[in-house]
Amino acid sequence: MARDAPTIDAYGGGGFRLSGARHEGSVLIVADEARAWPVADVAGLTVDSLAPVFAAGRGEVEFLLLGMGARNVQPSRAVRDALSQAGMGLEFMDTPAAARLYNVLTAEGRKLAAALIAL
C-alpha cells in the first residue's frame, strides 16, 4: 500500500479482518487507523457517529467511503449536508463493494476515511 493504511482482507460474520487481525462489529478507519465503530445499521449512522471523521478534517480526509451494510441505501440528508459543509466528498455503497474499493483507493495513496457497517 502506498500509505500505512490497514488492508481489508475479509468481511462478514459480524466483522472484518484488517491486515490479518479480526475486528468484531462495524469499523471506522480514519488517518489510517482502524477503530471499533458502534453503528450496527443505517439507523445508527448519524453526524455524531462520524465525529472522528470531522475531527480529522479536510487535510486528512478528502472523502468518506461509507459501507451501508448488505444493501446500498442513501445516508440521511443531515450526514450528506455535514460532509458537504466540511468540504469532504461522499461515496456510499453496500459494504462488500466499499471494502473492495477501499483497498484500491488506499493503494493509490488517496486520503479517505471509511465507515463500514458489518455484515
Side-chain angles (χ1 to χ4, degrees), residues 48-106:
D48 288 343
S49 74
L50 296 171
V53 175
F54 295 111
R58 178 77 172 99
E60 188 61 41
V61 178
E62 295 172 12
F63 67 95
L64 174 64
L65 178 60
L66 274 174
M68 302 300 288
R71 63 186 184 88
N72 188 15
V73 295
Q74 190 171 56
S76 71
R77 168 66 64 192
V79 166
R80 296 190 323 262
D81 287 349
L83 288 164
S84 177
Q85 290 170 3
M88 295 177 193
L90 171 64
E91 294 291 335
F92 60 93
M93 58 202 65
D94 62 64
T95 294
R100 291 186 299 271
L101 183 57
Y102 168 85
N103 285 335
V104 170
L105 294 174
T106 56

Side-chain angles (χ1 to χ4, degrees), residues 8 10-18 21-30 33-46 49-50 52 65-70 94-96 99 114-119:
I8 301 174
Y11 52 85
F16 297 86
R17 189 172 66 235
L18 304 174
R22 176 75 180 169
H23 291 261
E24 292 300 322
S26 299
V27 67
L28 182 64
I29 305 171
V30 180
E33 179 185 324
R35 61 189 84 182
W37 189 45
V39 174
D41 55 34
V42 174
L45 175 61
T46 65
S49 74
L50 296 171
L65 178 60
L66 274 174
M68 302 300 288
D94 62 64
T95 294
L116 307 169
I117 297 173
L119 300 177

